Amino acid sequence: MEIDKAIGESDDKRLKTKYNNAIFVIKRALALYSIEEVAFSFNGGKDSTVLLHLLRAGYFLHKKEQTCSNGGLSSFPVRTIYFESPSAFTEINAFTYDAAQTYNLQLDIIRQDFKSGLEALLKANPIRAIFLGVRIGDPTAVGQEQFSPSSPGWPPFMRVNPILDWSYRDVWAFLLTCKVKYCSLYDQGYTSIGSIHDTVPNSLLSVNDTSSKEKFKPAYLLSDGRLERAGRVKKIASLKNDVDTESQKHEVLLASVIAVGDEILSGTVEDQLGLSLCKKLTSVGWSVQQTTVLRNDIDSVSEEVDRQRSTSDMVFIYGGVGPLHSDVTLAGVAKAFGVRLAPDEEFEEYLRHLISEQCTGDRNEMAQLPEGITELLHHEKLSVPLIKCRNVIVLAATNTEELEKEWECLTELTKLGGGSLIEYSSRRLMTSLTDVEVAEPLSKLGLEFPDIYLGCYRKSRQGPIIICLTGKDNARIDSAAQALCKKFKKDVFVEIK
């Protein structure tokens, strides 16, 4: 078999490992199910093309073990399903039909939606398992293993995912090593192909040319697999895109801040990040309702994140991020949302570029992220992207300088404080009056100006009282300050600029 031979002669150890693992999954499925009970979902894309040839190799090796024969593969009897869509590229359709003819595929063409088409197909045929070219990072990969039963509400069948842990680089290493034909769109700068409505060539492969027509390098020359989907039309990242409709009606958006670290609780390290983060959030109109410091414990992180994400519009968490045994933040976040940690190939590519000489094995364990809920927020000033899990932002900063950079990038990426949010203003008044003297007048002032937040604090027990008036309307703040001053003798209050 030409595929098995090409991989065997390759010097790429990582590719050999991926190949052998995928072949094991395929042979396992073919041992569990008869050939009439399995099918292959083919869509003409690069991942699907890889799986086509893996299946051909896997079937050949499976039959070889059964018959102890060294003969060639005369036929490929696995039923192949193709969901033809009116929004598919003509090149995808052409490649699919060409592949079917070249490899003598038993092609079942379905022109219904995926679910309805499957229901009809499974009703008419004894199919119990379907091979899918799903990779971690795909929207449909959420919660899946190499063998995963279909989701509730769908017709019952086993999803078999031989290339679930393959990366963009692995896919192209296989296609180029085995020298198999793939869809021509990939030679025109397309790196991830969806429909004609949401897919364009990847601008990162654009070639500077004097001609009027823009040209692109082929997909396999994209050096960073993390940018595979740069040619897909994306929504602008927003901090508020996971806040429900009712929350968006609130005048004030609520934030919670969580610090993770035994070193903070023991007093070994002074937490400056929480203070700085609260100031930054307040400055752009968010109300911080709670700050919490947790020990390095997955359950503690999980319970607190679960509690805060349901009462806050956004949760910011820092500390406990990294490869050490005490770095439990991401595991805690994953548990709070009821998902597992799974390898994220896009994040892994960032880490490989950053610490490639320190990587061991085929997978970087630091690239394990909460599966299916993670969005990576990219910025050119950051060596690795920020991590957003629904309404939880995971910050990697370890000091205020790093936080300053992450905050700057975060505000640019998410327009934090923009839109309907109005930034707060404040005035601070200092007085030598006692607590007893100002208590009742301040209470009455609060009733007169319910839209103004009145805060009081001392820097020392013997020091003066500082009264902070905060609101979204400068005129109202000024009116409240004047009303307070009128309740006392002249010059009792001194404004702090």
Side-chain angles (χ1 to χ4, degrees), residues 222-473:
L222 183 70
S223 58
D224 289 352
R226 60 193 180 185
L227 303 172
E228 172 186 359
R229 294 174 181 83
R232 292 293 192 102
V233 178
K234 288 187 175 182
K235 295 182 295 183
I236 296 175
S238 169
L239 273 182
K240 296 181 286 181
N241 61 3
D242 292 302
V243 180
D244 60 43
T245 305
E246 289 301 315
S247 296
Q248 293 184 34
K249 294 178 182 177
H250 294 171
E251 291 185 2
V252 178
L253 291 180
L254 305 177
S256 292
V257 176
I258 301 174
V260 180
D262 292 344
E263 65 278 6
I264 299 175
L265 291 171
S266 66
T268 304
V269 172
E270 183 179 359
D271 179 26
Q272 294 293 330
L273 294 182
L275 174 65
S276 179
L277 189 55
C278 287
K279 287 181 178 179
K280 293 179 182 302
L281 284 164
T282 302
S283 71
V284 294
W286 286 70
S287 176
V288 180
Q289 66 170 356
Q290 185 172 343
T291 63
T292 311
V293 180
L294 306 175
R295 60 194 181 94
N296 298 324
D297 175 73
I298 293 176
D299 289 335
S300 296
V301 174
S302 172
E303 291 169 7
E304 189 64 20
V305 169
D306 189 43
R307 181 164 47 248
Q308 296 303 334
R309 74 183 179 91
S310 60
T311 59
S312 299
D313 295 302
M314 192 58 56
V315 179
F316 296 84
I317 187 168
Y318 59 90
V321 178
L324 301 176
H325 71 282
S326 57
D327 294 324
V328 299
T329 294
L330 288 171
V333 171
K335 187 172 182 179
F337 284 97
V339 301
R340 67 171 187 170
L341 282 179
D344 186 290
E345 63 183 50
E346 187 177 357
F347 198 59
E348 183 178 12
E349 288 295 332
Y350 274 99
L351 295 176
R352 283 190 177 278
H353 282 269
L354 185 65
I355 53 172
S356 58
E357 70 280 358
Q358 300 173 36
C359 292
T360 58
D362 291 330
R363 181 179 300 163
N364 189 329
E365 294 301 322
M366 286 177 65
Q368 304 274 331
L369 299 179
E371 184 184 31
I373 63 170
T374 299
E375 178 184 356
L376 297 179
L377 305 181
H378 310 280
H379 196 286
E380 60 184 7
K381 294 181 181 179
L382 298 176
S383 55
V384 293
L386 293 168
I387 299 169
K388 177 176 179 287
C389 302
R390 300 278 172 80
N391 64 333
V392 177
I393 298 288
V394 181
L395 299 169
T398 60
N399 55 54
T400 53
E401 289 77 15
E402 292 175 359
L403 177 63
E404 190 68 37
K405 179 187 290 187
E406 290 188 7
W407 178 263
E408 179 184 344
C409 296
L410 184 62
T411 53
E412 288 183 22
L413 291 168
T414 62
K415 294 180 172 55
L416 182 64
S420 61
L421 286 177
I422 301 174
E423 294 188 12
Y424 283 89
S425 298
S426 64
R427 288 183 63 180
R428 291 188 298 163
L429 303 176
M430 183 173 65
T431 180
S432 58
L433 294 172
T434 65
D435 293 4
V436 175
E437 289 175 300
V438 300
E440 186 176 347
L442 280 177
S443 295
K444 291 181 179 179
L445 187 70
L447 296 176
E448 296 173 31
F449 295 88
D451 55 324
I452 302 299
Y453 170 75
L454 301 175
C456 300
Y457 63 94
R458 295 176 186 271
K459 292 186 176 180
S460 66
R461 175 50 55 189
Q462 286 74 37
I465 298 175
I466 298 174
I467 301 170
C468 186
L469 299 89
T470 305
K472 293 186 282 187
D473 188 329

Side-chain angles (χ1 to χ4, degrees), residues 114-144:
F114 196 80
K115 187 175 181 181
S116 299
L118 271 183
E119 288 175 342
L121 181 72
L122 269 61
K123 188 175 181 179
N125 298 278
I127 296 172
R128 297 176 57 199
I130 300 178
F131 291 100
L132 301 168
V134 173
R135 290 190 288 126
I136 286 295
D138 295 341
T140 55
V142 178
Q144 291 202 51

Side-chain angles (χ1 to χ4, degrees), residues 45-64:
K46 62 185 185 303
D47 301 340
S48 193
T49 302
V50 166
L51 183 53
L52 166 62
H53 294 288
L54 286 172
L55 282 172
R56 292 178 63 243
Y59 178 72
F60 164 77
L61 294 170
H62 172 68
K63 295 298 290 184
K64 181 180 177 181

